[in-house]
Amino acid sequence: MITSPNKPNPWQTALINAVTDPKELLEILALDSHWLEPAVAASKLFPLKVPREFITRMQKGDPYDPLLQQILPIGAEFAQIEHYTEDPLQEKNANPVPGLLHKYYGRVLLTITGACAINCRFCFRRHFPYAENNPGTAGWNQVFDYIAKDPSITEVLLSGGDPLAVSDGTLRHFIERLAAIPHVKRVRVHSRLPIVVPERITTELLEWMTATRLQTILVTHCNHPQEINGAVTAALRRLTGIPLLNQSVLLKGINDQAAVLIALSESLFAAGVHPYYLHFKDKTQGTAHFEVPLEQAKALHRQMQQKLPGYLVPKLVVEEPGEPAKTSIIT
Ligand SMILES: *Cc1c(COP(=O)(O)O)cnc(C)c1O
Ligand code: SF4
């Protein structure tokens, strides 16, 4: 078979072919057309984007499917709620050079792309000014200089957007630049792609994650056990030797039941992934309808503790601006 050198990888094709038209999404899932008008309107606040194979994991005809609810634009996103803002984490104050966030001791986070494979309606980054924060080549030199000048930085998080929306060649280059800074020990990749487009776990990815002096860690983002199918489990299991963690967001109508959270921990671990964080939602404008009350969040966490071994119970945390770390919610 003759393949052109620039032929996109299957995962890149999956991103290019993602569904962005609300009408097409409703047709694929055989949903009533009354969902269309709000979906079109809210997709102007933050576009609809969902890979096709991820749609096949949703239940046809069910508008309240927990995977659909994470991506379907709805009218509730227009609600203007007091104390909700476009920058609830005040990240603009922790952005010393474009492309880099330095909030916590020893760790910096690089926003290496604004692109994501999927647009999650609850995401706090729906209002993040990526265009202003895209450093360009000269800017990346500034980022690496910033890290090189601060010996307290031992861990670099690759984030975004979704860092795995970037090609393996570019990521290998990032890792090489970071590995050249002696005090950097670890690179942590935070990505939703291994869950929504499991073909993203390529042989090339395995190579740059393992052929470096740095310890690499992958933190997936999965909110519901129905997101984990056989292909996801098989892809994650290829990453032997790389610590795999998961973070979830506690979301009303999606995973606000103890049985769902328990099944999520079990399914993650079956794929070799350790539950890390369960985030109590931040106050991002347009996402208030996903908020689970604090007392209920605590009760759900206690129920997880009663039913699961300790290592399958994620830490319930909330991000508070100005704090030196994520804040643990004591249950
Ligand atoms: C969440 C976050 C981290 C990582 O925090 P951990 O508790 O180490 O997982 C680092 N930097 C920024 C800017 C973050 O938002
Ligand atoms: S940053 Fe993560 S949660 Fe936010 S839209 Fe992208 S994939 Fe979804």
Side-chain angles (χ1 to χ4, degrees):
M1 193 173 77
I2 298 164
T3 53
S4 104
N6 293 324
K7 193 168 172 278
N9 282 308
W11 70 267
Q12 287 169 320
T13 307
L15 299 203
I16 294 162
N17 291 338
V19 171
T20 54
D21 175 6
K23 190 161 181 284
E24 187 182 3
L25 176 69
L26 297 183
E27 279 167 8
I28 294 171
L29 289 171
L31 290 173
D32 194 278
S33 58
H34 81 264
W35 293 94
L36 185 60
E37 196 187 309
V40 169
S43 69
K44 293 188 173 115
L45 299 174
F46 184 48
L48 166 73
K49 187 173 187 186
V50 56
R52 278 169 203 278
E53 191 273 328
F54 192 73
I55 301 172
T56 67
R57 300 179 219 169
M58 299 173 188
Q59 186 65 46
K60 265 195 184 173
D62 179 6
Y64 300 105
D65 178 276
L67 275 49
L68 176 66
Q69 285 289 315
Q70 295 184 51
I71 55 100
L72 178 68
I74 60 167
E77 294 175 30
F78 286 96
Q80 289 288 320
I81 312 278
E82 221 187 327
H83 308 305
Y84 277 63
T85 73
E86 297 204 343
D87 182 22
L89 308 179
Q90 296 172 24
E91 293 203 322
K92 284 167 195 161
N93 301 335
N95 194 196
V97 288
L100 179 144
L101 292 173
H102 194 179
K103 282 204 286 207
Y104 303 147
Y105 181 82
R107 288 150 287 170
V108 292
L109 181 151
L110 308 189
T111 50
I112 65 171
T113 175
C116 286
I118 183 166
N119 283 346
C120 311
R121 308 314 297 176
F122 49 84
C123 184
F124 71 97
R125 294 196 190 275
R126 57 187 285 148
H127 306 290
F128 197 75
Y130 285 113
E132 295 161 36
N133 212 36
N134 187 350
T137 313
W140 284 117
N141 289 331
Q142 238 187 312
V143 165
F144 294 119
D145 285 348
Y146 180 91
I147 299 168
K149 282 195 186 117
D150 184 345
S152 74
I153 299 168
T154 52
E155 179 165 342
V156 177
L157 281 72
L158 302 186
S159 182
D162 196 313
L164 294 186
V166 171
S167 74
D168 286 314
T170 304
L171 289 161
R172 179 182 299 113
H173 173 74
F174 264 94
I175 298 286
E176 283 167 2
R177 294 286 303 264
L178 293 168
I181 303 171
H183 51 264
V184 175
K185 294 180 186 164
R186 293 183 295 277
V187 170
R188 194 198 314 175
V189 178
H190 273 258
S191 174
R192 190 141 165 65
L193 258 153
I195 303 293
V196 298
V197 181
E199 304 96 301
R200 182 63 189 89
I201 307 299
T202 56
T203 305
E204 293 73 26
L205 176 140
L206 283 167
E207 274 165 20
W208 63 256
M209 286 197 91
T210 50
T212 167
R213 72 163 185 87
L214 300 168
Q215 273 194 298
T216 55
I217 300 156
L218 176 65
V219 184
T220 58
H221 176 179
C222 181
N223 300 314
H224 194 283
Q226 197 181 311
E227 292 174 52
I228 304 173
N229 62 10
V232 171
T233 302
L236 291 167
R237 286 187 160 203
R238 289 186 72 194
L239 296 163
T240 44
I242 296 168
L244 304 177
L245 307 173
N246 182 70
Q247 56 175 357
S248 307
V249 186
L250 185 58
L251 297 164
K252 186 171 164 184
I254 293 168
N255 58 13
D256 56 343
Q257 290 170 43
V260 170
L261 292 169
I262 289 166
L264 174 59
S265 276
E266 295 277 3
S267 301
L268 285 167
F269 194 69
V273 183
H274 294 257
Y276 178 39
Y277 280 153
L278 176 60
H279 288 271
F280 185 73
K281 240 188 54 54
D282 52 60
K283 301 214 177 302
T284 299
Q285 200 62 264
T287 69
H289 54 290
F290 286 117
E291 191 167 309
V292 176
L294 183 61
E295 283 314 309
Q296 191 191 341
K298 291 181 179 179
L300 286 166
H301 194 257
R302 283 195 300 269
Q303 284 171 277
M304 291 182 88
Q305 282 176 317
Q306 284 160 12
K307 296 267 171 65
L308 287 167
Y311 62 90
L312 291 189
V313 182
K315 251 186 169 181
L316 181 62
V317 292
V318 65
E319 196 160 336
E320 285 171 345
E323 288 300 314
K326 314 262 187 258
T327 305
S328 290
I329 297 175
I330 307 302
T331 58

